[in-house]
Amino acid sequence: MSAVPREFLCEHASSKSRVLVLLAHPDGPACVQAVFTCRDAHAAQQAARLLSSAALNGALTEQQETTAHKIATQLPHAPAASFRQALERARAGVWPSTAPASFSWPADDPLEEPAQDEPDLPVSAARSPKDARLADLPGPVVRVVQLREFHVYDQAKVLAAAAACGWVPVPEEELGEDDPYDVVGAVMFAAETTGELPGMDWLTDAQEGQLLLPGRGDEVADWSAEPVRINFGTGWRLRQAANPYATAPRPGTTPPVSEELLPDFASLFALPEACGCEEEDCQKCRWTFTPRTADLLFSALDELAEAAYDEAAELGERPVTKDDDGVWGFFARLPQVTWRQSMQWRRDLARACDDLAGDLRRGKWPRPSCAAEEMVLHFALDEAPTHLVADDSAHAALPQHRDDYDFDACSEVFFQDHDVLWLYDGTYDDDAPGAEGPGPSGIPAALHPDNWFENFLSVPARSPGRPHRR
């Protein structure tokens, strides 16, 4: 009986360590089997990581092969032989095993009671009535739409792995000529379960979430008079081709096109009725932050956040340098005095983009609460005009106004001052990485990168416990 190795784990005790393999079977639940035992905990941990990589990718890189050879050399004869054999099985994606016996939980087992100190949340008096419309459901209704794309580079391996996990293909007579082996079914099975299978790579993962509200005219899909359409927008590569100066995600990464449904900017920033008097103190004739302006600024902030998170993960703790020659589209744009900052500092800067976008999502003007938010808002205002796409039907449906796309006025209104831009005048460039100095010095305390996240006293502070996007 053959199984598919899904993951390799490591178990450590005071005197020995053991490498285990998690196997998937077509005729029973997943099970764990021992691979080898040794006294070197570090070697066992490295071996488990290498085996997991081989099972997922079907091969090891040249550097990983060198590490694997080194581990096999260091291990005693018996575990070394087991490790080499496990590597071959992991590469092949097939593991000899006996399918575990089926079992089931007793039907009368009580569900675990929630902890007593957890807060009480409202509970609906009834479950979901059959054929109920949105207005008939007493609890919140959330619509989630996912967009996932996978590249299948080894069809045989994907089909075998999916079958081992319990997938059953469509009968041959029901399949078309374009997909005679039901590769689509195997990938759909993976997307609904593990999300990963040997022989395929994950290209795109985007998710849209929306709270359905009867007062807004929403309806559950089965009762909807209109087709349910979700606009994930154009791809970032297409936008990058149209605007070579736009910030793009790092090579080798694929950001989600959007994390949530776009806000209803027409309602959040409802336009006043202009009276035409043009009096300076007239509330109807004064400058207005319009829905179309908010839409483009929100898109710019969202894309900047994605790029910043990607770059922060890839840069890690290494500094940006002049030798990078613009490789880092987001962090290389910052003043050179920031180039030595930590990975956590960079992640916090990415979150600053989301904080400002969150202001817009709540129908509020983006008011920077710290120097970091000032800097990223300058970036977003510069890039917002590039997000105006000719065939964007959702944007075109927003109401028009004479103040649309007046980002110069936004720059005047949203900031207390533009002092953070002083860091670009070259005075502090000698303190950048590669210079002889130890780091940023002589900078006004309020503008020092270490203080960029200090809250302004004149603006409400952000919640310190708010999460990062990822």
Side-chain angles (χ1 to χ4, degrees):
M1 183 71 184
S2 295
V4 174
R6 297 304 312 276
E7 186 180 4
F8 289 81
L9 311 169
C10 207
E11 179 183 65
H12 300 289
S14 58
S15 60
K16 61 183 179 180
S17 294
R18 183 165 60 166
V19 175
L20 308 166
V21 59
L22 177 65
L23 299 174
H25 297 264
D27 300 321
C31 69
V32 175
Q33 288 188 3
V35 178
F36 69 84
T37 302
C38 67
R39 294 183 179 278
D40 190 334
H42 181 66
Q45 194 72 44
Q46 282 190 305
R49 291 173 181 170
L50 290 170
L51 289 165
S52 292
S53 181
L56 180 60
N57 301 317
L60 296 179
T61 65
E62 183 177 347
Q63 182 177 357
Q64 287 176 325
E65 289 286 2
T66 301
T67 304
H69 177 74
K70 182 178 179 181
I71 292 174
T73 303
Q74 294 175 345
L75 289 172
H77 178 71
S82 298
F83 174 54
R84 293 189 182 97
Q85 184 182 57
L87 272 176
E88 294 303 316
R89 292 173 175 175
R91 291 189 186 99
V94 178
W95 199 278
S97 175
T98 301
S102 299
F103 64 90
S104 60
W105 296 108
D108 57 351
D109 269 11
L111 294 175
E112 182 180 353
E113 293 294 331
Q116 295 298 319
D117 56 350
E118 292 183 356
D120 292 331
L121 294 175
V123 178
S124 171
R127 294 290 298 274
S128 306
K130 184 178 180 181
D131 298 330
R133 304 190 66 140
L134 179 61
D136 300 326
L137 298 167
V141 176
V142 178
R143 174 179 293 156
V144 177
V145 179
Q146 290 184 313
L147 169 64
R148 294 181 176 181
E149 294 174 326
F150 302 88
H151 170 223
V152 178
Y153 60 85
D154 189 330
Q155 294 190 39
K157 185 173 289 188
V158 166
L159 294 171
C165 294
W167 165 72
V168 178
V170 173
E172 185 176 353
E173 60 272 14
E174 298 180 18
L175 295 171
E177 294 181 359
D178 57 338
D179 187 16
Y181 303 107
D182 197 17
V183 174
V184 171
V187 174
M188 289 179 65
F189 172 83
E192 294 172 359
T193 54
T194 64
E196 293 182 344
L197 281 179
M200 75 180 195
D201 289 328
W202 202 321
L203 299 179
T204 305
D205 183 16
Q207 191 176 71
E208 301 278 11
Q210 178 187 12
L211 184 66
L212 301 183
L213 302 174
R216 193 172 55 193
D218 295 337
E219 185 55 272
V220 293
D222 286 346
W223 283 101
S224 178
E226 299 293 332
V228 177
R229 294 189 176 94
I230 301 297
N231 182 8
F232 284 94
T234 57
W236 69 264
R237 295 183 186 275
L238 181 63
R239 293 195 296 271
Q240 181 71 4
N243 172 30
Y245 299 102
T247 302
R250 296 293 311 126
T253 64
T254 304
V257 179
S258 176
E259 294 293 334
E260 303 178 51
L261 286 175
L262 287 175
D264 181 6
F265 289 118
S267 299
L268 292 171
F269 298 99
L271 296 173
E273 296 182 6
C275 64
C277 70
E278 298 185 0
E279 293 289 340
E280 189 172 328
D281 59 349
C282 178
Q283 295 297 313
K284 293 183 178 181
C285 295
R286 64 186 299 183
W287 178 82
T288 300
F289 183 57
T290 70
R292 292 191 171 203
T293 306
D295 183 34
L296 297 192
L297 185 57
F298 179 87
S299 297
L301 287 164
D302 183 65
E303 188 171 286
L304 285 168
E306 280 295 335
Y309 276 114
D310 287 338
E311 289 188 20
E314 188 165 350
L315 269 169
E317 299 297 332
R318 62 155 288 198
V320 177
T321 68
K322 295 178 181 179
D323 294 336
D324 289 326
D325 194 23
V327 171
W328 310 106
F330 183 90
F331 291 106
R333 293 174 58 187
L334 294 172
Q336 292 184 27
V337 295
T338 67
W339 287 2
R340 282 194 179 94
Q341 294 301 311
S342 67
M343 178 181 178
Q344 186 58 50
W345 186 93
R346 291 165 178 157
R347 284 174 47 78
D348 289 344
L349 196 63
R351 184 177 62 180
C353 300
D354 280 335
D355 287 338
L356 291 168
D359 291 342
L360 293 171
R361 189 179 289 281
R362 292 187 293 273
K364 299 181 180 296
W365 287 7
R367 297 284 195 180
S369 65
C370 60
E373 292 183 17
E374 285 188 329
M375 181 59 75
V376 298
L377 185 55
H378 279 297
F379 282 7
L381 290 172
D382 286 343
E383 292 197 4
T386 68
H387 288 260
L388 183 59
V389 182
D391 58 351
D392 188 344
S393 58
H395 181 80
L398 294 172
Q400 294 182 332
H401 191 271
R402 64 168 186 251
D403 292 330
D404 284 341
Y405 319 130
D406 191 352
F407 296 105
D408 288 338
C410 292
S411 184
E412 295 177 5
V413 173
F414 294 158
F415 297 90
Q416 300 181 49
D417 56 55
H418 296 162
D419 291 356
V420 72
L421 299 181
W422 291 351
L423 297 176
Y424 282 107
D425 67 6
T427 303
Y428 311 106
D429 285 358
D430 289 341
D431 291 318
E436 295 181 358
S441 60
I443 303 174
L447 302 181
H448 195 288
D450 290 347
N451 300 326
W452 271 23
F453 299 98
E454 293 293 326
N455 292 310
F456 296 151
L457 298 179
S458 57
V459 180
R462 307 283 184 188
S463 170
R466 67 196 187 283
H468 292 76
R469 178 187 297 198
R470 51 183 166 92

